[in-house]
Amino acid sequence: MNVAIFRTGPMLLWTAVLLFVPCVGKTAWLYLQAWPNPVFEGDALTLQCQGWKNTPLSQVKFYRDGKFLHSPKKTQTLSMEAATVQSSGQYSCTGQVMYIPQIFTLTSETVMVQVQELFPPPVLSASPSPEPREGSLVTLRCQTKLHPLRSTLRLLFSFHKDSHTLQDRGPHPELCIPGVKEGDSGLYWCEVALKGGQVQKQSPQLGVRVQAPVSCPVLTLHHGPTDPAVGDMVQLLCEAQRGSPPILYLFYLDEKIVGNHSAPCGGNASLLFPVKSEQDAGNYSCEAENGVSRERSEPKKLSLKGSQVLSIPTSSNWLVPWLPVSLLGMMVIAAALLVYLRPWRKAGPLPSQIPPPAPGGEQCPLYANVQHQKEKDEGIVYSVVHRTSKRSEARPAEFAAERKDSPIIYAEVRCLQPSEVSSKEEASRRRPCYHRR
């Protein structure tokens, strides 16, 4: 009877132990510790899995967010030399506990580990603008800030362009680039590192595009081997050799815009058009503009076949070349009017051709005869007689006035018969002058 009870007692005891250990082991029999707390980037994170009352464990394994992380061989501790933000998560551990003659696998409760950011990723900026004008000063700033609980740490800054290092790690968060050129355009970025190198972060890339002014464009006219005619095609090609894109090209005929074209990547632009009339002839030019500067090309003259159309000069003194031509035209018109209005005379000396008075101041009759040669007026003679004196020879100005105011000027008009014209003409020349006072 007693033997039976003795044998039955141990079985009930082991049954109670088997039911009790798994239930308690998931809570108090195994637990996980993490330090330091709080933990920052770059800190050494340590995890330790312990049994109840330091019960020895074997086959310890660590998990993060339910996924296996690591299993140390002879220790119950896991160390991370430099924690990162990605190290944050729900951690737990498992281990085997031996209760003779049984071995139990126990699991700890989860522990939340939140790794705090030591400093945010830096931001690179360019002052005064990431699109500076050529020749200006550009300052690059790498900006970030340490966590208040770690404000005594020292940060180092470095600057890079594309795949080249512009400035190695140093305490200065700024980099100055004086007199930037178009070749300084590119992708810039900076890096901030904790002294010792445990933590380092890069900024996003910043595109810097130096704005170079456009050069003076060159205009080229393309057409056939000869001057184009109405109906032919003409191409205008405008190109600025340098200048930051995009470039806007404007085409002018004299001072009127006839077309435009944009070159997003730079280069040249063209305008193709048919010649419709003689109004398409003239001075063509083009203009290049890119927001930094604006330049105008030299004008090119387009002449049409068989046309005498001249382009209008664009300068402010366009009247100067035409002034001699205008004066010459006015002189020709004046000369024509003088010839048309001049009295028609066939014979007789001009007043300016009257011979001077004879020496000694003696009065001498002067004659001027005009004969009409038309058939109906044949034989009519007009005679004009003037008197000169010694006084007029000395004072020619007064003589002109005296002639104007002389009391009587004798004039004889006589009609001759055809048979008497030749014989009377000679006699009339020798007839003495008569004067009335």
Side-chain angles (χ1 to χ4, degrees):
M1 182 73 177
N2 293 335
V3 174
I5 294 175
F6 179 77
R7 291 180 179 178
T8 304
M11 293 181 62
L12 293 174
L13 180 61
W14 281 113
T15 302
V17 172
L18 292 176
L19 293 174
F20 176 74
V21 171
C23 180
V24 177
K26 290 185 178 180
T27 56
W29 284 65
L30 193 66
Y31 57 93
L32 179 66
Q33 289 181 325
W35 70 86
N37 187 25
V39 58
F40 286 90
E41 293 176 302
D43 291 346
L45 176 62
T46 302
L47 302 175
Q48 187 175 28
C49 192
Q50 290 182 329
W52 182 61
K53 293 184 178 182
N54 293 326
T55 303
L57 301 175
S58 62
Q59 301 295 322
V60 176
K61 297 180 181 179
F62 292 90
Y63 298 84
R64 184 176 64 198
D65 298 330
K67 296 181 179 179
F68 173 75
L69 186 62
H70 186 67
S71 177
K73 294 182 178 180
K74 297 181 179 181
T75 180
Q76 302 173 195
T77 303
L78 174 64
S79 297
M80 301 180 185
E81 293 183 357
T84 64
V85 176
Q86 290 73 24
S87 302
S88 302
Q90 299 282 347
Y91 285 83
S92 62
C93 66
T94 61
Q96 293 182 353
V97 180
M98 180 178 292
Y99 291 98
I100 299 175
Q102 298 289 334
I103 297 177
F104 304 97
T105 300
L106 306 178
T107 302
S108 71
E109 292 184 347
T110 58
V111 175
M112 178 64 191
V113 175
Q114 182 66 50
V115 180
Q116 299 190 45
E117 193 173 49
L118 185 63
F119 57 87
V123 176
L124 182 65
S125 63
S127 179
S129 168
E131 294 185 355
R133 292 193 175 189
E134 190 176 45
S136 62
L137 171 67
V138 175
T139 302
L140 300 178
R141 291 186 177 91
C142 191
Q143 297 175 326
T144 188
K145 187 177 181 180
L146 282 167
H147 193 280
L149 297 179
R150 294 290 191 273
S151 59
T152 58
L153 297 178
R154 186 181 179 185
L155 298 178
L156 301 177
F157 303 85
S158 61
F159 293 87
H160 310 266
K161 175 181 179 277
D162 299 328
S163 58
H164 306 287
T165 300
L166 302 178
Q167 177 178 293
D168 288 328
R169 291 179 179 177
H172 303 290
E174 294 184 355
L175 174 66
C176 294
I177 306 176
V180 293
K181 301 179 181 180
E182 193 173 8
D184 293 324
S185 299
L187 295 176
Y188 289 79
W189 52 279
C190 68
E191 183 180 79
V192 180
L194 189 64
K195 187 176 182 180
Q198 296 91 342
V199 182
Q200 53 189 19
K201 296 181 181 181
Q202 294 181 1
S203 70
Q205 290 182 336
L206 174 66
V208 175
R209 188 161 62 95
V210 179
Q211 298 291 318
V214 293
S215 60
C216 185
V218 177
L219 179 66
T220 308
L221 303 181
H222 293 283
H223 50 76
T226 60
D227 291 339
V230 175
D232 293 343
M233 300 298 294
V234 175
Q235 184 186 31
L236 306 179
L237 183 64
C238 186
E239 181 177 13
Q241 295 295 331
R242 65 184 303 270
S244 300
I247 300 176
L248 176 63
Y249 290 95
L250 299 175
F251 295 89
Y252 293 84
L253 171 56
D254 296 327
E255 293 300 323
K256 180 182 178 182
I257 297 178
V258 295
N260 62 78
H261 184 77
S262 178
C265 301
N268 57 39
S270 62
L271 177 65
L272 184 66
F273 65 93
V275 178
K276 297 180 180 180
S277 65
E278 291 185 352
Q279 295 182 353
D280 291 332
N283 283 341
Y284 284 86
S285 61
C286 68
E287 185 178 77
E289 190 269 332
N290 68 343
V292 180
S293 66
R294 176 182 297 179
E295 296 290 340
R296 189 85 168 260
S297 71
E298 292 293 331
K300 290 295 183 68
K301 178 182 177 183
L302 176 64
S303 301
L304 300 184
K305 184 183 299 182
S307 173
Q308 300 298 327
V309 177
L310 296 177
S311 59
I312 301 176
T314 58
S315 60
S316 59
N317 58 345
W318 63 273
L319 287 174
V320 175
W322 292 96
L323 188 58
V325 178
S326 302
L327 292 177
L328 180 61
M330 293 175 65
M331 293 174 62
V332 171
I333 295 175
L337 290 175
L338 289 176
V339 172
Y340 179 76
L341 299 176
R342 180 181 179 183
W344 183 55
R345 295 181 298 180
K346 294 294 292 184
L350 297 175
S352 61
Q353 296 174 341
I354 297 175
E362 299 180 357
Q363 296 181 356
C364 180
L366 300 178
Y367 305 91
N369 298 329
V370 180
Q371 295 184 8
H372 284 265
Q373 300 300 323
K374 294 183 179 180
E375 293 181 359
K376 62 180 181 178
D377 297 328
E378 187 175 4
I380 299 177
V381 179
Y382 300 90
S383 298
V384 181
V385 181
H386 294 282
R387 180 181 63 183
T388 60
S389 63
K390 188 173 183 179
R391 178 184 175 186
S392 64
E393 179 182 3
R395 298 178 180 178
E398 296 179 2
F399 169 68
E402 182 180 354
R403 271 181 47 184
K404 182 176 181 182
D405 300 331
S406 62
I408 297 176
I409 297 177
Y410 185 86
E412 178 184 3
V413 181
R414 185 180 181 190
C415 183
L416 301 179
Q417 298 298 325
S419 59
E420 298 175 348
V421 170
S422 59
S423 60
K424 296 295 183 177
E425 182 178 1
E426 184 66 25
S428 64
R429 292 179 181 176
R430 299 179 181 180
R431 183 177 301 171
C433 300
Y434 296 92
H435 305 277
R436 290 186 295 174
R437 297 182 181 277

